[in-house]
Amino acid sequence: MAKDKNTPQKKPRFSSWWIYGLIILFLIGYQFLGSDNFSPTKKTTTSELQEFLRNGDIDKILIITNTRQAKVFLTDEALSKDVHKDVSNQPFSLTSGSVPQYVLDYGDLQNFENDIKKIKQENNLDTVVDYDTESNVFMELLLSLLPFVLIIGIWIYLMRRMSGGGAGGAGGQIFNIGKSKAKLFDEKTDTRTTFRDVAGLEGAKEEVEEIVEFLKNPDKYTSLGGKIPKGALLVGPPGTGKTLLAKAVAGEAKVPFFSLSGSDFVEMFVGVGASRVRDLFKQAKDKAPAIIFIDEIDAIGRARGKNNFTGSNDERENTLNQLLTEMDGFGSNTNVIVLAATNRADVLDKALMRAGRFDRLIYVDLPDIRERKEIFEVHLRPIKTAETLDLDFLARQTPGFSGADIANVLNEAALIAARKERKAVTRQDFLDAVDRIVGGLEKKNKIITPGEKKTIAYHEAGHATVSWMLEHAAPLVKVTIVPRGQSLGAAWYLPEERLLVRPEQMKDEMCATLGGRAAEKVIFNKISTGALSDLEKVTKQARAMVTIYGLNDEIGNVTYYDSTGQSEYGFTKPYSEETARTIDMEISKIIEEQYARAISVLEENKDKLIELAELLLEKEVIFKEDLERIFGKRPFKDNFDRLGQEKAVAVTEEEKAEGPQEESKASEEANASEQAEEETVEQKE
């Protein structure tokens, strides 16, 4: 209670604009309602006016020519009559002068005058008929002053915003446009994200935790002569948890944490970006020790001099130059650590990447099966499940998924369960969510002819048959001919998570991918456009074998892959026209060989292919158990355990000698898994 008493209560702020508004409303109301509305002036009709005139009740008729209105003034004797008792009271007027008892809106002036003149002659009346015009002085004055009032009002509004009196924050004001737009988290800020919420990413989390520990307890490291790192760059594919890791740092660090995006430095005014960089580091230095986090740093950190055809000074380069100076220049900022995140490390400037600016380059890769299990455990906390879920099974069903993808799967599972009026989320909901995200939404109402449906069934059965008969192809999980998304059919596979991919493995996967078109050729002796996505996939794989990984005998041990990513800006190819023709021939040769191989496999198992396709036409969805019943168990040795990891094998002396060479190739062939890994779903156009 004492705390409440000491807390100053905010008084309601009174704005002078309310007074101005009330005055304006009063003036406008008075103008449009008119002063006559406060008096008992009554509207009348032409027939009543003629009747009053015949009775001799009217003393004067004032015709206002510009408003087409007639004002009627009664005699003193008429005011005492009962018929005029409603207007006989003394009228109230805000203006000086007499107030009429009646007012009439006439039509044609000449006819109106003739009627009055005729009645006056017939009844020998001396009623005065006068003419006048009325001008609205207030309205004319208001219309003449309104433009000036608007200009002055807008000017006052802009000046108040410039001076900081308006809303919008420091970055939205003209004079404060060079101020940093960073959001500050300090130890008093309720930040819910901690390292407990970050699953997997063990190596990255360990390095980041060390940075936090350095800021908390610097003597532990400086006593041995160590220096605080200047910065750490988080690099990895989208959705792997780079920003989440930074949020965890903000939650764990007991130091001020400045968070902003790389695009916050960008503005249309010259010099704003550099000014915001200076202001950001000034604020961080004043609150040192502090951490600065710049998300999507590639917005300002791209390599200088690229695509600068105009030769003019680039505002983005000025911002980058200022950032380089602040991170490691003559005026170095002590106890200020810069964290940054990007998924385009290949386009960053080399001066930004050097040691002394970003001392640590932390790779945040896609999670493996063990890390996916941990991610499932974190994201399952707020979800109400109906049973104890097998997390190992869920992790095996989501190869190649990032942390964001897993969160999306669990959220989609909860939505599916709610859509089905369930009280808790079941295992089937998770499987449906994976199918929904990977394959797309089922379109059971899509119009498909029986002939097309039969073609789709044999196409998908061809994929399943060839993949089942090849050793290195990914084992089948599920096949459906129900349209999903843009595809007319889909097949789910469970790929082995390999770090190194050999040519025979890639060729088996290509052969299985071409199994759909091959089945159409074997059964119908016709092909269709349904294999578009298959052809796209095998063409990319064959091109990668020839031009990237050096797995082609004709081209040899040559790669045309540029890991820096700068080749995409060039206009010339890194090989001659003759080599280009050779590459095209070899790509076509590889694809046609695997196509012929797929046809050969299907010819040998044609009866089983037909049986599988007919079953697929009947059920529309088949599973691994159906293939085992038709084809039997796969005749290949299972070199992978239930977690998808390769079983340990005894290492020979020759393999030990080859070990260092293989390890040296690992960094260059690490991307092979991404290119060669079987897609989780194959879609048909």
Side-chain angles (χ1 to χ4, degrees), residues 483-497:
R484 282 181 175 271
Q486 295 182 349
S487 63
L488 301 177
W492 280 260
Y493 301 92
L494 195 60
E496 298 169 347
E497 299 183 49

Side-chain angles (χ1 to χ4, degrees), residues 498-518:
R498 310 184 184 104
L499 295 179
L500 297 176
V501 183
R502 303 191 181 277
E504 59 270 17
Q505 296 171 337
M506 297 184 72
K507 289 179 179 180
D508 280 1
E509 292 170 356
M510 294 170 64
C511 185
T513 306
L514 292 169
R517 168 159 286 191

Side-chain angles (χ1 to χ4, degrees), residues 251-321:
E252 293 284 347
K254 302 300 182 183
V255 296
F257 186 92
F258 296 87
S259 174
L260 76 166
S261 174
S263 60
D264 291 336
F265 296 105
V266 181
E267 196 69 57
M268 70 176 185
F269 302 109
V270 177
V272 170
S275 176
R276 288 178 178 175
V277 170
R278 285 191 295 270
D279 185 70
L280 172 64
F281 279 86
K282 181 178 179 300
Q283 294 181 34
K285 191 175 181 180
D286 293 339
K287 294 182 177 292
I291 297 176
I292 297 173
F293 174 64
I294 305 175
D295 201 6
E296 307 297 341
I297 195 174
D298 54 279
I300 60 170
R302 287 180 175 266
R304 292 166 290 181
K306 299 296 182 186
N307 293 337
N308 191 7
F309 299 110
T310 61
S312 61
N313 193 16
D314 190 1
E315 171 64 13
R316 182 181 53 79
E317 291 189 4
N318 291 340
T319 307
L320 176 59
N321 292 336

Side-chain angles (χ1 to χ4, degrees), residues 458-460 462-463 512-521 531 534 602:
Y458 276 96
H459 186 108
E460 300 299 335
H463 285 301
T513 306
L514 292 169
R517 168 159 286 191
E520 296 180 25
K521 182 68 174 177
D534 300 333
L602 294 176

